[in-house]
Amino acid sequence: MIHRFKRSIISLRTHESAPLRIVGDGLIGTQGVGDGRMIPVLILDTAERPDVPQYLALHAHSGAGDVRVQWGQLPQFADTIILILTVLRPAELTILIAFELPKKHGVLVDQILRAKGLYLQAGSPGDRLANTMDRPRVLVEVADTNFQAHWEKIYYKFTVARLRKEGLTRTDAKRVAKQAITAMRDVGDFRFPPTPQSAVETNGF
Amino acid sequence: MWTDIVSAVAAGIALFLSVASLRQSGRSLRISERQEARQQPNLIATLDAGDYTTANEGGDRRYRIAFSVQNRSDADNAVVRAELRLTYRLPEGILMVARVQASPESGLPFRLEARDSIRKECQFSVPATIWQHRIEAYTVELVDTYDRAMTMDPILLSERRA
């Protein structure tokens, strides 16, 4: 257990209960979207969730939507942060996205919180943003749900633990963790200048 | 002796007046509660007719839903949003629910004065990515100014031939 969350029960349909894995990621910065913020793109493995590509196709048709977001953790998934997207329009479905911290997904969570949004894209293992730029994707606004303060602790503790595993002393790990987080945030805070859409592929942290 | 009688009569009159006053205030309270209840939003929607046309194969299907809305309240209201909810089944068996907003030409929002009624027709443009699947149910949802939803469930909608 990485951090103590407040317990709550959410109702899900059977096929919605398994969190979707992130199989690819990247950043898209567009001057006309979110004031040029670098917004993370999550390519999700939707092999078991045909309703997700269907939702993305419907959104492309309607052009507008309504999504509620909530951060959390599932008891059976250690070292994983879950983003719960309750889609209300143009389709009704719930999507759980698993951010596996050992797989360097912490940088994505951090960037989503800083950019206040994310792009969702359906895909399969092996997909990369650079070769799937023409696929439909949905921009989801991620409002502040008071998760930021929890996340600061989780991210820092996890980064320290990771650096300790790599052989640093406790004092050095704490110092380097702060520096590493600040450096990653400096990169993520870049705002794209007024040019056509551009994409940057990342490797996570 | 006579003072006791006068006191008893006066007490009787006072009791009668208090009971009468109590009944009167109860009546006034009930009238005022009924007036207050009549001020509460109370829209009733009734489905009149519905059909659809398909311009071409693979194109959007245009649903036309005609309905009446009664405002049974003493307060003005308005219908601000109309949506067609389509429940359909994907080939993998998953039940999907899509919400399609009424087209701009449907004239939303529209106002309804107190104790008034109106007949409207809303159009919904449904993409082939929905209607090519097996549609299980339709629900038309209207939402008023107070964010109250009313639903109508067309059971069978037929294609209108030009």
Side-chain angles (χ1 to χ4, degrees):
Chain A
M1 179 72 74
I2 6 179
H3 197 77
R4 200 174 290 276
F5 281 90
K6 195 163 70 179
R7 282 179 184 273
S8 67
I9 294 172
I10 52 169
S11 58
L12 298 166
R13 293 185 287 174
T14 315
H15 67 276
E16 295 174 338
S17 59
L20 297 185
R21 286 189 317 116
I22 299 167
V23 290
D25 60 73
L27 291 173
I28 290 183
T30 314
Q31 181 59 27
V33 179
D35 298 307
R37 286 184 176 90
M38 301 303 287
I39 300 175
V41 183
L42 307 180
I43 303 174
L44 305 174
D45 181 0
T46 55
E48 302 297 319
R49 287 291 303 272
D51 53 332
V52 175
Q54 177 74 10
Y55 154 60
L56 299 178
L58 291 178
H59 195 282
H61 180 270
S62 69
D66 196 358
V67 180
R68 285 191 198 138
V69 297
Q70 189 186 346
W71 294 95
Q73 195 189 17
L74 295 176
Q76 64 272 38
F77 291 88
D79 290 339
T80 300
I81 298 291
I82 303 286
L83 179 61
I84 305 158
L85 301 177
T86 308
V87 182
L88 306 172
R89 291 183 184 80
E92 293 176 7
L93 68 154
T94 305
I95 303 170
L96 307 184
I97 302 171
F99 293 90
E100 297 167 74
L101 300 187
K103 288 189 180 174
K104 304 176 182 178
H105 291 163
V107 70
L108 292 173
V109 175
D110 203 55
Q111 189 58 23
I112 289 167
L113 290 169
R114 294 182 79 75
K116 300 181 186 353
L118 63 94
Y119 283 103
L120 278 186
Q121 185 180 316
S124 51
D127 280 349
R128 292 286 169 264
L129 178 59
N131 50 29
T132 56
M133 283 301 287
D134 54 336
R135 297 252 185 96
R137 65 182 69 86
V138 168
L139 175 62
V140 178
E141 284 181 15
V142 179
D144 181 16
T145 55
N146 296 323
F147 173 66
Q148 181 78 47
H150 295 286
W151 172 245
E152 291 293 336
K153 291 177 194 163
I154 295 167
Y155 197 28
Y156 175 69
K157 276 172 74 174
F158 192 84
T159 309
V160 170
R162 190 181 168 83
L163 291 168
R164 290 270 290 148
K165 268 187 196 167
E166 287 176 12
L168 268 68
T169 63
R170 184 182 296 275
T171 317
D172 283 348
K174 283 183 175 177
R175 182 177 48 79
V176 174
K178 276 184 187 161
Q179 288 170 351
I181 291 170
T182 307
M184 291 301 290
R185 286 178 175 171
D186 285 345
V187 174
D189 284 346
F190 174 76
R191 296 275 179 117
F192 225 79
T195 52
Q197 192 177 66
S198 302
V200 179
E201 193 126 355
T202 63
N203 264 329
F205 172 67
Chain B
M1 176 66 180
W2 63 271
T3 51
D4 291 344
I5 294 167
V6 170
S7 298
V9 170
I13 292 169
L15 179 66
F16 171 76
L17 289 174
S18 340
V19 170
S21 164
L22 191 67
R23 289 187 63 186
Q24 186 59 38
S25 2
R27 201 175 297 144
S28 303
L29 179 66
R30 280 193 296 278
I31 290 170
S32 125
E33 279 173 349
R34 276 203 294 269
Q35 280 175 342
E36 183 63 30
R38 283 203 302 270
Q39 290 286 329
Q40 293 299 309
N42 185 7
L43 292 187
I44 304 290
T46 317
L47 182 73
D48 290 338
D51 55 32
Y52 62 84
T53 52
T54 312
N56 53 53
E57 202 169 317
D60 285 4
R61 189 182 264 186
R62 205 155 184 81
Y63 284 81
R64 196 177 61 158
I65 307 287
F67 55 88
S68 305
V69 186
Q70 278 177 277
N71 183 3
R72 292 186 177 178
S73 161
D74 283 352
D76 293 351
N77 203 337
V79 172
V80 293
R81 194 172 66 229
E83 284 179 338
L84 178 62
R85 291 176 74 228
L86 298 106
T87 306
Y88 59 101
R89 200 171 288 279
L90 298 178
E92 296 80 3
I94 291 174
L95 215 53
M96 185 95 193
V97 177
R99 287 172 171 265
V100 178
Q101 300 278 333
S103 306
E105 60 267 31
S106 299
L108 288 162
F110 60 85
R111 187 183 163 85
L112 261 168
E113 290 183 4
R115 303 277 158 190
D116 197 6
S117 63
I118 194 168
R119 188 173 189 276
K120 291 292 283 186
E121 188 179 286
C122 280
Q123 296 191 1
F124 304 90
S125 193
V126 176
T129 182
I130 296 176
W131 66 257
Q132 280 176 345
H133 292 108
R134 179 187 157 128
I135 295 178
E136 301 284 358
Y138 299 99
T139 301
V140 180
E141 187 176 281
L142 306 178
V143 177
D144 73 1
T145 313
Y146 301 90
D147 212 24
R148 290 183 179 218
M150 296 152 276
T151 57
M152 297 168 281
D153 300 316
I155 297 170
L156 296 173
L157 292 175
S158 305
E159 186 159 18
R160 178 165 48 97
R161 303 281 177 191

